[in-house]
Amino acid sequence: GAGVSQSPRYKVAKRGQDVALRCDPISGHVSLFWYQQALGQGPEFLTYFQNEAQLDKSGLPSDRFFAERPEGSVSTLKIQRTQQEDSAVYLCASSLARNEQYFGPGTRLTVT
Amino acid sequence: AQKVTQAQTEISVVEKEDVTLDCVYETRDTTYYLFWYKQPPSGELVFLIRRNSFDEQNEISGRYSWNFQKSTSSFNFTITASQVVDSAVYFCALSEISQGGSEKLVFGKGTKLTVNP
């Protein structure tokens, strides 16, 4: 079956621009997670949705980061006024409740 | 706070050698899950295994085996008869029950494995 998909795969943004990253989870997965992976590091948790409810956003690094999942399926991570330190790979994962997470290919964001 | 340590940053072996990737974790929870993921050069994290903290039985899947020892807080991963296709970064992770009851993952920094022909 289809796995988690993310788009775009690569994004180059000039400092100060807004970006939107999309995640299509596996059909039927109620849980959706966003992680940020800096070069040479392990992924770090950003936020979690259960269906359309954002239950945990403790990992979002600043108020420039915003995520939504309005209909409980597709999710968008938005970064406003991008800065160089936002350059990273943004990974989306989905799972059935309390189960292993399946990851998408990620979006590599480069802020110049 | 939860923490996962993968002390080996990089390992290089020759094909057909056995290799063990170490993982040590810290948690105050009595119930938790441990995971291993593989990240090949393509970048996508591939799920390998999930273990419950109450189940200390070793597990074998083909050339892969995992050794979970609660007494030393370790969850090591061994690849037997390594192959070039095993070359990747391997991450160990620990689940943490967070706000809203999610099982967010806390990852180690990863071990880059290179298998040379």
Side-chain angles (χ1 to χ4, degrees):
Chain A
V4 178
S5 60
Q6 292 185 246
S7 61
R9 291 293 312 278
Y10 303 91
K11 177 70 179 178
V12 178
K14 291 187 178 178
R15 191 174 57 173
Q17 282 185 335
D18 298 348
V19 298
L21 313 180
R22 176 187 167 108
C23 171
D24 281 87
I26 293 172
S27 178
H29 280 192
V30 298
S31 299
L32 186 146
F33 302 81
W34 284 98
Y35 292 84
Q36 180 190 59
Q37 186 176 19
L39 190 64
Q41 302 294 315
E44 292 192 356
F45 171 79
L46 293 177
T47 188
Y48 160 67
F49 290 87
Q50 186 177 82
N51 295 306
E52 70 280 0
Q54 188 176 21
L55 299 184
D56 187 351
K57 50 183 181 179
S58 61
L60 295 177
S62 78
D63 59 8
R64 296 185 296 102
F65 286 71
F66 171 75
E68 59 184 6
R69 193 187 185 197
E71 296 178 359
S73 56
V74 171
S75 176
T76 303
L77 176 67
K78 297 179 179 178
I79 309 173
Q80 297 176 325
R81 304 181 304 281
T82 53
Q83 300 179 7
Q84 282 197 318
E85 60 262 31
D86 300 335
S87 295
V89 175
Y90 290 86
L91 295 166
C92 176
S94 70
S95 75
L96 295 169
R98 300 285 179 99
N99 255 294
E100 57 269 17
Q101 296 176 28
Y102 292 91
F103 284 79
T107 295
R108 182 178 297 278
L109 173 65
T110 303
V111 181
T112 61
Chain B
Q2 314 235 356
K3 185 178 177 183
V4 175
T5 302
Q6 295 180 255
Q8 304 149 309
T9 306
E10 292 193 40
I11 299 176
S12 182
V13 299
V14 176
E15 207 169 17
K16 298 184 182 176
E17 282 186 26
D18 298 347
V19 57
T20 296
L21 309 182
D22 298 332
C23 173
V24 174
Y25 63 92
E26 296 175 29
T27 180
R28 292 181 184 174
D29 293 344
T30 53
T31 302
Y32 52 90
Y33 291 91
L34 293 162
F35 302 78
W36 276 94
Y37 283 86
K38 174 182 179 179
Q39 191 172 44
S42 61
E44 189 161 342
L45 279 163
V46 177
F47 167 77
L48 295 178
I49 189 170
R50 174 184 191 245
R51 293 309 300 275
N52 182 314
S53 57
F54 293 113
D55 182 3
E56 288 193 67
Q57 273 194 330
N58 291 337
E59 180 154 343
I60 298 175
S61 175
R63 295 185 298 107
Y64 295 171
S65 62
W66 291 270
N67 179 258
F68 176 29
Q69 294 201 347
K70 235 172 167 177
S71 60
T72 55
S73 297
S74 65
F75 185 45
N76 297 338
F77 172 32
T78 297
I79 302 174
T80 302
S82 59
Q83 300 177 2
V84 173
V85 293
D86 296 328
S87 296
V89 180
Y90 290 86
F91 290 96
C92 180
L94 171 67
S95 66
E96 175 180 348
I97 305 297
S98 70
Q99 301 170 25
S102 70
E103 279 193 2
K104 65 182 184 183
L105 298 178
V106 176
F107 285 86
K109 292 190 175 183
T111 297
K112 182 178 180 181
L113 174 65
T114 302
V115 182
N116 298 298

